Amino acid sequence: SVAAGGGAGRKVAVAAVQFACTDVEAENVDTAERLIREAHKKGAKVVLVQELFEGHYFCQAQRLDFFQRAKPYKGNPTIIRMQQLAKELEVVIPVSFFEEANNAHYNSVAIIDADGTDLGLYRKSHIPDGPGYQEKFYFNPGDTGFKAFKTKYATIGVGICWDQWFPECARAMALQGAEILFYPTAIGSEPQDGNLDSREHWKRVMQGHAGANLVPLVASNRIGRETVETEHGKSSITFYGNSFIAGPTGEIVKLANDKDEEVLVAEFDLDEIKAIRHGWGIFRDRRPDLYKVLLTLDGEK
Ligand code: PUT
């Protein structure tokens, strides 16, 4: 709008989808494709699918056989299928997958542009550990660093799940020009504490990233109860969905519930938001010369 000083601009609709995964890869990839098509019908140009959507969230257990689920980046059949779909629908699709790279393993996302081009890889930087979420057993900490990808419709940043709790990750992507932040995720109940429900905390932290960087933010989380045979009996997590799209002041504009398969779509005027972002002055007034302490673990200067 003229009032925002940005002029009419690039309007981009973005989507988050959520669904319950089975443990059959072909079924989940089919579901992802069906929901991406639905999002496209609703006008979405960038469609986010949840983290590791090819199967159950296997990190509930530390099992050697689960390493067999990892696949090399190059030639990955799910990525190739999503490239074909992206090209057909002219949509951007970040594709989350379990990556095998020789003896290393990563929790990765390939960014597929609207013509099917693979723009590159981001590997999850912050790897959680703890009851039900034993990701350190499987994944090396990502070595790509935080990135911004120039897609047909917008420059986007993608963090993965646990990355979403770290303002440094969001800021690093925004500093490199990301105009929209995306977070595929897998989070739900905590097997060790039935009273712990992190969903509101989870949303508020990401709403803060949107507001602090004046960018829209899209989070996609799975639903459903998954039970995995672990090395010491069964473990279950009920994933809480609550996928959402936040606007550039952190306001939630679309929110899914904790049970249903959903396709959320919201449109943003990226040029208008850019003008507001610049006018607000948060990137003008940053003081990187005072932020060295952020490069330490213990706060020592
Ligand atoms: N996806 C990781 C979530 C960890 C919750 N304790």
Side-chain angles (χ1 to χ4, degrees):
S1 76
V2 176
R10 282 174 302 140
K11 291 202 171 139
V12 176
V14 293
V17 307
Q18 69 173 35
F19 62 94
C21 286
T22 69
D23 212 22
V24 179
E25 186 183 309
E27 290 176 359
N28 296 314
V29 180
D30 282 352
T31 305
E33 174 168 342
R34 175 170 56 76
L35 297 179
I36 291 168
R37 288 186 182 280
E38 201 175 314
H40 168 256
K41 273 199 194 115
K42 293 180 173 184
K45 301 292 188 202
V46 188
V47 185
L48 184 67
V49 182
Q50 61 218 27
E51 182 186 21
L52 299 172
F53 62 88
E54 290 174 296
H56 276 167
Y57 180 71
F58 52 85
C59 311
Q60 287 201 65
Q62 295 191 14
R63 277 176 41 181
L64 296 180
D65 57 325
F66 285 162
F67 278 103
Q68 290 161 17
R69 296 177 177 221
K71 294 192 194 80
Y73 171 38
K74 294 294 168 203
N76 181 306
T78 300
I79 296 176
I80 292 170
R81 180 160 163 193
M82 291 296 144
Q83 284 182 277
Q84 288 158 352
L85 185 64
K87 187 174 178 182
E88 179 198 327
L89 303 180
E90 294 184 54
V91 296
V92 175
I93 309 174
V95 183
S96 166
F97 70 104
F98 182 15
E99 181 192 358
E100 179 188 274
N102 297 321
N103 284 310
H105 295 84
Y106 298 100
N107 186 333
S108 299
V109 62
I111 313 301
I112 309 305
D113 205 355
D115 63 357
T117 305
D118 184 346
L119 297 177
L121 204 59
Y122 167 70
R123 289 170 168 162
K124 182 172 180 172
S125 304
H126 302 94
I127 309 296
D129 201 12
Y133 300 89
Q134 303 172 78
E135 296 195 18
K136 287 193 200 297
F137 183 70
Y138 298 101
F139 308 129
N140 295 81
D143 58 356
T144 55
F146 310 114
K147 291 172 131 180
F149 296 88
K150 221 174 167 46
T151 73
K152 175 172 180 185
Y153 305 111
T155 301
I156 67 169
V158 184
I160 304 173
C161 197
W162 199 231
D163 286 329
Q164 66 207 162
W165 296 86
F166 297 82
E168 297 87 348
C169 169
R171 179 68 103 201
M173 295 190 286
L175 276 175
Q176 294 172 83
E179 301 173 287
I180 313 171
L181 301 181
F182 291 85
Y183 291 94
T185 188
I187 190 166
S189 57
E190 306 280 340
Q192 84 288 6
D193 181 355
N195 293 319
L196 180 53
D197 183 345
S198 64
R199 76 186 74 187
E200 300 306 324
H201 185 189
W202 175 79
K203 281 181 277 193
R204 285 192 297 262
V205 168
M206 280 184 280
Q207 288 176 256
H209 302 331
N213 294 290
L214 276 149
V215 290
L217 183 150
V218 183
S220 166
N221 185 29
R222 65 178 66 199
I223 49 170
R225 184 162 180 82
E226 296 180 14
T227 300
V228 175
E229 199 66 60
T230 77
E231 54 288 2
H232 47 69
K234 289 187 193 314
S235 172
S236 298
I237 294 179
T238 303
F239 292 91
Y240 55 57
N242 275 256
S243 300
F244 69 91
I245 301 175
T249 64
E251 75 281 18
I252 288 190
V253 295
K254 285 284 159 62
L255 174 63
N257 68 23
D258 60 1
K259 287 185 186 58
D260 296 315
E261 185 176 291
E262 294 203 40
V263 175
L264 307 176
V265 179
E267 185 181 75
F268 297 99
D269 182 331
L270 296 183
D271 287 334
E272 181 179 85
I273 291 171
K274 180 178 179 180
I276 294 169
R277 182 163 62 242
H278 291 174
W280 197 245
I282 51 166
F283 286 95
R284 178 195 63 206
D285 295 338
R286 290 184 67 255
R287 291 293 311 277
D289 53 319
L290 301 179
Y291 301 156
K292 288 197 180 62
V293 68
L294 296 180
L295 299 178
T296 72
L297 283 176
D298 61 4
E300 290 289 329
K301 294 201 178 78

